[in-house]
Amino acid sequence: MVIIIYAKKLFGAIIYRNLYSCSTSDICNSSPVWEFFNKSPRRVKLHICDSYSKVHLALEQESQGRPRENVPYRKQAKHENTYEAVGSFCHKNSICTKPTKFILCTVLNSCAKTVNWQLGLQIHAYMVQSGHEENLFLSSALVDFYAKCDAIMDARKVFDEMKVRDQVSWTSFIVGLSQNRQRRDALSMFKEMLGSQIKPNCFTYVGVITASAGLKEAFELGLSLHSHVIKFGFNTNSFVVSSLIDCYAKWGSIGHAVLLFDEIHERDVILYNSMISGYSQNLCGKGALKLFMEMRNKNLSPTDYTFTSILNACGSLTVLFQGRQVHSLVIKMGSERNVFVNSALIDMYSKCGDVNGSCCIFDQTCEKNNVLWTSMITAYAQSGRGSDALKLFEHLLTEEGFVPDHICFTAVLTACNHAGLLDKGIEYFNKMRTTYGLFPDVDQCACLVDLFARNGELRKAKDLMEKMPYDPNYVMLSSFLSSCNIHGEVELGREAAKQLIQLNPCNDAPYLILAHIYARSGLWTEVAEVRKLIQQRGIRNHSGWSWVEVDRAVMSS
DNA sequence: TTAGGGTTAG
């Protein structure tokens, strides 16, 4: 109807595509426009078959409101209202001869921000048709558009074909890779950029620091990025600093994050949010609460991000009174409809022992989603109400069309653990793969190991640890060792303790639990050996496990 | 006319 991509006898086939006659999903599911461009760009003909005013009308119908034609299109695009921006774009072009590269760029920018795939494709098509294909600004905007629409392969094609690149095009692609969960590729691309003529700017550093956040192997790179930031004077840029704070916090280096935060005197809300979230992630709840108070004293309004992090901190500290105060503030600030905040509230109330509070939040939330449902199942599971958790889970599966993910299954298996339902737990664990196509990750395996171990099925727990494609982690082995102690399993306990000591040689718990296991079985020589080993290695008592019971057993023997 | 920071469940 409006723009037809029409290629005659292309590789012997007649290919006809009418973008406007297709729905967005049709276009997404059809062969990409790229196929035409790549095979024979010059043979592809794009015809504008109708006036842009018809586009205007079509979009107007979709947008459920008339575009405000008196507002400049550029300003509208900045306000992230594609329909209005496009409305102005179309209106302008129904009276002009053709859209300029500036207009195309602005509309493409708006398409990227609002993920308007259909229109963005047409702008790309028009770029080819109108000879703007190699324009640096438009190509950069196109890279950004494809990346924001999760079409990173298309973004890469645009980027690779660019003859000239600048800081923006490099940064757009690096950030695009990062946002498309290809963070390692983003870091590689940054290294490639360093070898080019184009030098990174603060935008690039924000992108690459964000990409390296949470990647353990990128810690060294993170340190050198921090050095670069200082060297080039970006260490006062709040965007750069907040990304660095987040990075250090995710690496567990909360001290580095605090040093960075303290160096900034003009702190905006996002900097506070980064630091509060950093404290919260590193279980420094008191630091988070202190900073939250400081933020309030400076009359900075908390955002949904602030509430989510501070509620998380309240939950970790199990401070119900402060949690309720934050809840009041959430209502006052109008954040009670945010799904992140509500999930955090459910979590906070359950961790503070008030699972009825969690139920109230859950019931009052109108628009529930998978995250919220999982939060409530987790709240029940962690509060020892395993049967309620399973009841809710089954209800959601049958009544709400709920599709559980890995995290939900962790909650469900935890619930089975609390309810002592071994068979049910095995059934859900198997259903993960057979019904939902989810391969259990280390967390669900840990739940099942725990379930087996608590029910005295230590050999099955051991088999699972050996067969699963992950190394058993510390929590899993600790739980297994505790069960070995309860059920008096000497050989399995000895092996688990050995693995735990290898993972963390400074922790006294595995030694002491092993001593308890030996004492229960009357293996006094082995008890003495463990005691000697602890002394030789200078291991201090931190865990809370003591020798009192072991000594009592030795004495009574 | 193009690019950037902070949030949830185990």
Side-chain angles (χ1 to χ4, degrees), chain A residues 100-111:
Chain A
T100 65
K101 57 189 175 184
F102 304 103
I103 294 169
L104 291 174
C105 201
T106 304
V107 177
L108 204 45
N109 182 21
S110 185
C111 289

Side-chain angles (χ1 to χ4, degrees), chain A residues 15 65 414 469 546:
Chain A
I15 302 167
T414 307
S546 81

Side-chain angles (χ1 to χ4, degrees), chain A residues 17 22 34 44 46 68 183 193 218-219 221 285 306 309-310 346 399 405 407 422 439 441 454 466 472 476 490 518 528:
Chain A
R17 190 74 82 232
C22 303
W34 269 108
V44 172
L46 296 110
R68 287 174 296 163
R183 294 190 291 166
M193 184 186 181
F219 184 72
L221 173 71
T306 328
S309 299
I310 203 67
I346 289 173
E399 304 294 324
D405 63 1
I407 296 169
L422 177 61
F439 194 85
D441 67 25
R454 280 170 189 260
E466 283 171 355
M476 198 185 291
V490 178
Y518 286 148

Side-chain angles (χ1 to χ4, degrees), chain A residues 104-402:
Chain A
L104 291 174
C105 201
T106 304
V107 177
L108 204 45
N109 182 21
S110 185
C111 289
K113 282 178 178 161
T114 54
V115 197
N116 191 328
W117 173 250
Q118 191 179 32
L119 186 69
L121 279 187
Q122 288 173 76
I123 301 295
H124 187 181
Y126 186 77
M127 274 171 62
V128 178
Q129 191 255 356
S130 59
H132 291 311
E133 201 180 0
E134 292 179 3
N135 178 280
L136 173 63
F137 283 64
L138 279 171
S139 299
S140 299
L142 206 52
V143 169
D144 183 50
F145 162 73
Y146 278 122
K148 285 203 168 60
C149 290
D150 290 335
I152 195 66
M153 292 305 291
D154 292 318
R156 184 182 285 278
K157 282 172 188 166
V158 176
F159 184 77
D160 286 346
E161 285 178 11
M162 286 175 76
K163 290 180 180 143
V164 181
R165 294 169 186 158
D166 66 355
Q167 290 176 317
V168 179
S169 39
W170 275 101
T171 306
S172 300
F173 189 48
I174 289 169
V175 170
L177 284 166
S178 173
Q179 290 173 347
N180 279 267
R181 300 167 295 283
Q182 297 184 13
R183 294 190 291 166
R184 288 178 183 85
D185 288 344
L187 302 186
S188 306
M189 197 48 67
F190 174 71
K191 285 173 187 165
E192 206 175 299
M193 184 186 181
L194 291 177
S196 75
Q197 297 290 316
I198 309 297
K199 297 300 162 209
N201 61 12
C202 59
F203 283 76
T204 325
Y205 278 105
V206 170
V208 77
I209 290 166
T210 306
S212 60
L215 286 177
K216 281 185 181 172
E217 72 272 21
F219 184 72
E220 294 298 320
L221 173 71
L223 292 177
S224 60
L225 285 173
H226 191 176
S227 314
H228 284 211
V229 163
I230 295 167
K231 185 178 170 185
F232 297 120
F234 299 139
N235 53 327
T236 51
N237 178 302
S238 63
F239 282 74
V240 176
V241 174
S242 59
S243 62
L244 268 173
I245 287 174
D246 181 52
C247 221
Y248 278 124
K250 288 199 166 77
W251 282 323
S253 302
I254 192 69
H256 282 93
V258 173
L259 285 175
L260 270 164
F261 184 77
D262 287 346
E263 278 176 16
I264 302 285
H265 299 295
E266 288 184 19
R267 299 162 179 167
D268 63 20
V269 174
I270 297 180
L271 265 169
Y272 270 101
N273 288 350
S274 305
M275 197 61 238
I276 290 172
S277 161
Y279 273 132
S280 176
Q281 285 168 34
N282 285 272
L283 303 177
C284 306
K286 284 184 182 172
L289 281 175
K290 194 179 161 195
L291 217 54
F292 181 66
M293 292 305 296
E294 184 184 308
M295 188 181 168
R296 298 283 297 142
N297 290 336
K298 288 189 175 178
N299 288 323
L300 284 169
S301 295
T303 66
D304 297 343
Y305 287 81
T306 328
F307 288 132
T308 308
S309 299
I310 203 67
L311 287 166
N312 194 5
C314 291
S316 304
L317 293 169
T318 60
V319 286
L320 186 58
F321 180 73
Q322 283 90 334
R324 282 186 175 142
Q325 283 186 316
V326 176
H327 186 184
S328 306
L329 201 56
V330 163
I331 295 165
K332 189 178 167 188
M333 302 293 291
S335 287
E336 76 270 32
R337 299 187 74 173
N338 180 285
V339 70
F340 286 82
V341 175
N342 280 334
S343 294
L345 277 167
I346 289 173
D347 185 47
M348 182 277 292
Y349 277 116
S350 72
K351 282 185 177 150
C352 292
D354 182 5
V355 75
N356 291 330
S358 303
C359 290
C360 285
I361 301 293
F362 182 75
D363 292 339
Q364 285 166 12
T365 307
C366 302
E367 290 179 21
K368 299 183 176 75
N369 66 4
N370 283 20
V371 176
L372 202 91
W373 283 327
T374 305
S375 299
M376 196 60 231
I377 294 170
T378 307
Y380 277 136
Q382 289 179 337
S383 308
R385 288 171 60 172
S387 54
D388 286 331
L390 297 180
K391 211 182 290 174
L392 176 61
F393 179 61
E394 290 293 346
H395 166 78
L396 295 174
L397 290 180
T398 51
E399 304 294 324
E400 306 283 352
F402 178 51

